Amino acid sequence: LIMQNDYLLIEGDPGSGKTTLMKHFAYSEIQKTEPDAFLPVLIFLKDIKAFPYSGIPANAGAAENILSYYCETVAQNGLDADTVKRFCKAGRAVLLIDGLDEIPRELRDFAADAFAGFRRMNGNCKTVFSGRPHGIDGKVVDLFGDRHVKILSLNREQAEEFIRKWFCFFSEGSGV
């Protein structure tokens, strides 16, 4: 679904695999050697709680400020907002924004507006938001709700099988 849509809003209960899906997608894109691979930009919203957004217009510039804040202060991964913008304009980036339920509604609405503006200004880059049901509301739904999908929860047996396979995958020399 991520590859088939310009944007996506993923909802799921705790433990349903939202964050794991985002991490796996980012990992898979990084491992690709094909020239059509995307630059995955994984942003955990819980890490921007201290972002000073009060009094700032929620537009593309605000999203750039969030990206700069995240890349320089939190992730420190060598990425910067200008690099992300260049990949977006080339149609080669996907923003993976996880944890809508982990920030206050006011900041969530601000981020939704800001990244909607960023998408418009930067080639409508792929954007994926995820969160628990109580974080899927307000501006997020207004702006991205027409591409809203739900991850179904795993039962105990499915969760145990998933965990077993996950550890087998990484213990068999996946390089991680």
Side-chain angles (χ1 to χ4, degrees):
L1 288 176
I2 292 172
M3 296 309 292
Q4 295 170 0
N5 291 280
D6 289 338
Y7 60 91
L8 200 59
L9 176 58
I10 300 173
E11 174 184 342
D13 289 328
S16 62
K18 301 171 302 297
T19 300
T20 301
L21 172 68
M22 300 285 239
K23 287 178 178 180
H24 181 71
F25 181 85
Y27 174 79
S28 296
E29 286 302 303
I30 290 168
Q31 296 302 310
K32 286 183 178 178
T33 56
E34 300 87 24
D36 64 342
F38 280 73
L39 171 69
V41 181
L42 184 55
I43 300 169
F44 298 105
L45 290 175
K46 66 181 171 122
D47 295 330
I48 68 159
K49 286 180 183 176
F51 177 76
Y53 67 95
S54 182
I56 300 173
N59 56 25
E64 289 179 36
N65 290 339
I66 291 171
L67 284 168
S68 292
Y69 174 85
Y70 193 81
C71 291
E72 295 166 13
T73 307
V74 179
Q76 299 177 348
N77 57 10
L79 281 179
D80 57 55
D82 288 334
T83 301
V84 174
K85 280 174 49 177
R86 283 195 303 277
F87 273 85
C88 286
K89 287 185 181 207
R92 306 303 329 145
V94 59
L95 303 177
L96 303 163
I97 305 169
D98 186 50
L100 289 167
D101 55 294
E102 298 180 37
I103 57 175
R105 182 179 178 149
E106 186 177 297
L107 179 53
R108 184 167 54 242
D109 286 347
F110 177 85
D113 269 339
F115 281 105
F118 185 84
R119 286 188 73 251
R120 284 190 299 275
M121 296 297 293
N122 293 285
N124 286 324
C125 65
K126 289 187 177 292
T127 306
V128 180
F129 285 96
S130 71
R132 294 175 180 176
H134 64 274
I136 309 293
D137 61 3
K139 294 276 187 173
V140 175
V141 171
D142 294 346
L143 296 166
F144 301 99
D146 61 324
R147 303 240 170 81
H148 180 185
V149 297
K150 294 181 182 181
I151 294 179
L152 300 176
S153 296
L154 302 175
N155 63 35
R156 183 175 177 87
E157 182 180 308
Q158 291 169 325
E160 288 173 357
E161 181 69 7
F162 172 80
I163 291 167
R164 187 187 65 71
K165 287 182 178 182
W166 182 261
F167 282 104
C168 285
F169 174 78
F170 282 107
S171 66
E172 291 176 359
S174 66
V176 176

